[in-house]
Amino acid sequence: MPVPIPRQRAIPAAAGGQAPAVPTPDASPDGSGRTGGPGGPGAAGGPGLTLLLVEDDPGGSLSLPELVDSAGRPIRIRTARNLTEVERLLTDDVHCILLDLALPGGPGGGPGAPHDAPHGTDRTPADADELTPLRHVLRLAPGHAVLALTTSGDAERGARAVRVGAQDYLFRDELDGRLLSRAIQYAVERKRADAAQRQLTESRLRAQENARLERGLLPTPLLDGSPLRFASRYRPGRSRALLGGDFYDTVRTPDGAVHVMIGDVCGHGPDEAALGVELRIAWRALTFAGLVGDELLSTLQQVLEHERANEEIFATLCTVDIAPDGRRAGLCLAGHPSPLIARPGRPAELLPYDNGGPALGLLPRARWPRQQVQLGGTWSLMLYTDGLIEGRIGRGNQRLGQDGMVEMVRRKLAAGLRGDELLEAAVTEVRELNGGELTDDVAVLLLDREPGREPGRERGGER
């Protein structure tokens, strides 16, 4: 068994506690041991580890050998005689605390009332008083590694200390430099690993919760009883997000008409995404209340003006209300790109867009004319946001644009693509032309009508 090395009591005490047992060239001139912040041990050229020893040892029986870290740098040592001194000496550059479990409980070193155990710890009457100092230190230093020090005949107390929150325990009469140095480094790294794992778990839980919330805010088309087939693609521009500033919805009202809407709030952050959800929900409620055309969009503009964060926020919108017979529709454009329609025997083309109105939130008394358009018996109607047409083509600054999108859709239709396959192929090609992921939100909807098709529940293709 190693013989303890006597402590050098001749070293004068520094302000705020015992001077470092091992003087180091980078110790601060005021003797506090602070080196300018919590340096990471092991960093090249950075400060080494600092140990705070907490023990009430007026006779000097406890002595620590010279300690070095894995890089061979001395481990600085501070000494606190009681829990009150711990509060004063516990600065950011302390990495580990070595606590003598024989220390009297309570701040100031005197007997103290037992403290509540941390949540989830096993506390028995046997350790209610003897581990009070440890619990107090753990509350003072929740981010620091803690080593418990006990006698060789009291391993059970050391084990209870680990259950309470210490990283490990050591025996007073078995300390040597190599053992203690390794225990300090192990405790520091274990504490860091535990903290990193806890942060990772919390991050995953938050991500899962946000994903469930955002997924719940995406619309479910209400097309029961309609012969129309629905498909959609939705890709938010924000990294790791499920919801962006683009929004859409589709419902069938009791009169048999099908209403579809797509919109885009300027901006790409969570505030814009939240505003898009509010406008979508408001549109659904107003549509079921019987509003269409200018009356509907005027009311939506009031909603936007009350809910937006500042007066510079606006939103583009396209609404289409399809008659119960499916052959004609009303179209309103509020600064939004016009839908594309594809019919048998005719090339795909854009619906009329010359008679549209401004985006919502730009003009206080704006009007949005409702245009009547003839759809025909069999058709496919595609609504989209500008994220689909503003992607670059190659390495230059040229954009795909509406003309490029129309030509691309014509090629896909000529290849026999329909429904979900058409949308997936279109979005994939736009991304490839852009040379990577699109930075803007993308929403694309497709409604298909085929005469003689049986009505049913249409929820396919949502993404």
Side-chain angles (χ1 to χ4, degrees):
M1 180 181 302
V3 178
I5 301 175
R7 176 173 302 200
Q8 300 298 321
R9 296 292 179 180
I11 299 178
Q18 181 77 18
V22 182
T24 60
D26 58 345
S28 58
D30 61 0
S32 66
R34 178 180 289 277
T35 57
L49 293 170
T50 299
L51 174 71
L52 177 59
L53 172 63
V54 186
E55 54 97 13
D56 184 17
D57 184 26
S61 60
L62 176 63
S63 58
L64 296 183
E66 182 174 335
L67 306 174
V68 294
D69 62 16
S70 58
R73 294 168 299 195
I75 297 177
R76 295 180 294 274
I77 302 174
R78 298 180 190 171
T79 302
R81 298 299 183 189
N82 51 53
L83 298 179
T84 300
E85 288 190 7
V86 170
E87 296 187 44
R88 186 171 72 251
L89 297 177
L90 191 61
T91 52
D92 291 340
D93 57 334
V94 171
H95 300 91
C96 185
I97 300 171
L98 179 60
L99 173 66
D100 186 357
L101 295 182
L103 189 76
H115 296 279
D116 293 335
H119 179 70
T121 59
D122 179 20
R123 180 175 181 181
T124 63
D127 65 6
D129 292 318
E130 61 188 12
L131 296 184
T132 294
L134 173 62
R135 290 192 177 88
H136 186 79
V137 168
L138 292 174
R139 281 193 296 272
L140 288 177
H144 290 69
V146 177
L147 290 171
L149 196 61
T150 186
T151 60
S152 59
D154 200 2
E156 178 58 30
R157 189 197 292 195
R160 290 199 300 270
V162 173
R163 289 198 297 270
V164 167
Q167 272 60 61
D168 203 350
Y169 68 93
L170 301 168
F171 296 131
R172 291 172 56 97
D173 49 357
E174 295 183 6
L175 293 180
D176 62 31
R178 183 178 179 183
L179 171 66
L180 184 54
S181 297
R182 186 171 57 193
I184 292 170
Q185 294 173 78
Y186 167 77
V188 170
E189 295 306 324
R190 179 177 174 182
K191 186 68 176 181
R192 289 177 176 166
D194 291 344
Q197 182 61 43
R198 183 172 60 254
Q199 292 174 358
L200 178 61
T201 301
E202 292 173 354
S203 176
R204 286 175 176 171
L205 291 175
R206 283 195 301 269
Q208 293 171 2
E209 185 175 306
N210 290 340
R212 288 194 299 270
L213 176 62
E214 293 186 16
R215 192 175 294 110
L217 294 175
L218 291 172
T220 299
L222 301 179
L223 291 175
D224 290 352
S226 171
L228 301 183
R229 183 174 60 185
F230 175 86
S232 70
R233 290 295 182 273
Y234 188 89
R235 294 178 182 270
R238 289 188 297 139
S239 176
R240 296 185 297 276
L242 294 178
L243 200 64
D246 289 4
F247 55 99
Y248 67 90
D249 206 350
T250 306
V251 299
R252 181 176 183 267
T253 49
D255 61 359
V258 171
H259 303 256
V260 58
M261 170 271 291
I262 193 166
D264 181 4
V265 177
C266 67
H268 308 288
D271 291 339
E272 289 75 15
L275 182 56
V277 172
E278 293 178 272
L279 291 174
R280 179 186 67 79
I281 294 173
W283 175 87
R284 177 175 284 201
L286 295 171
T287 298
F288 278 123
L291 275 66
V292 295
D294 180 75
E295 187 179 13
L296 171 60
L297 269 66
S298 297
T299 308
L300 283 177
Q301 173 157 280
Q302 295 180 40
V303 173
L304 182 145
E305 289 172 347
H306 283 91
E307 299 296 333
R308 63 186 175 183
N310 59 72
E311 294 183 355
E312 297 180 356
I313 299 296
F314 64 89
T316 65
L317 196 71
C318 169
T319 67
V320 179
D321 54 282
I322 303 168
D325 63 7
R327 302 184 65 89
R328 52 194 170 82
L331 170 66
C332 284
L333 296 175
H336 199 88
S338 182
L340 178 147
I341 186 168
R343 290 169 282 206
R346 301 170 59 177
E349 60 182 349
L350 299 176
L351 289 178
Y353 52 86
D354 295 333
N355 200 24
L360 302 181
L362 293 183
L363 301 176
R365 288 178 293 276
R367 289 294 178 261
W368 295 272
R370 178 172 174 267
Q371 309 175 62
Q372 284 288 338
V373 294
Q374 296 300 318
L375 303 177
T378 301
W379 46 264
S380 294
L381 188 65
M382 191 175 86
L383 288 73
Y384 52 93
T385 57
D386 59 6
L388 186 70
I389 60 178
E390 291 189 349
R392 288 184 170 84
I393 301 177
R395 298 183 178 180
N397 293 323
Q398 184 180 358
R399 306 285 180 169
L400 176 65
Q402 285 182 290
D403 292 340
M405 180 204 66
V406 171
E407 291 299 324
M408 176 187 66
V409 172
R410 287 176 178 174
R411 285 189 283 103
K412 304 299 182 187
L413 291 170
L417 299 181
R418 300 292 186 273
D420 288 307
E421 292 181 351
L422 172 62
L423 293 189
E424 185 64 29
V427 173
T428 299
E429 181 169 334
V430 169
R431 189 168 62 249
E432 291 174 350
L433 290 172
N434 189 62
E437 288 295 336
L438 301 165
T439 58
D440 198 2
D441 304 330
V442 177
V444 192
L445 313 181
L446 191 66
L447 282 174
D448 292 322
R449 182 178 187 269
E450 299 176 9
R453 185 171 177 272
E454 291 296 327
R457 181 183 295 269
E458 293 302 327
R459 294 191 182 184
E462 292 177 64
R463 264 186 210 180

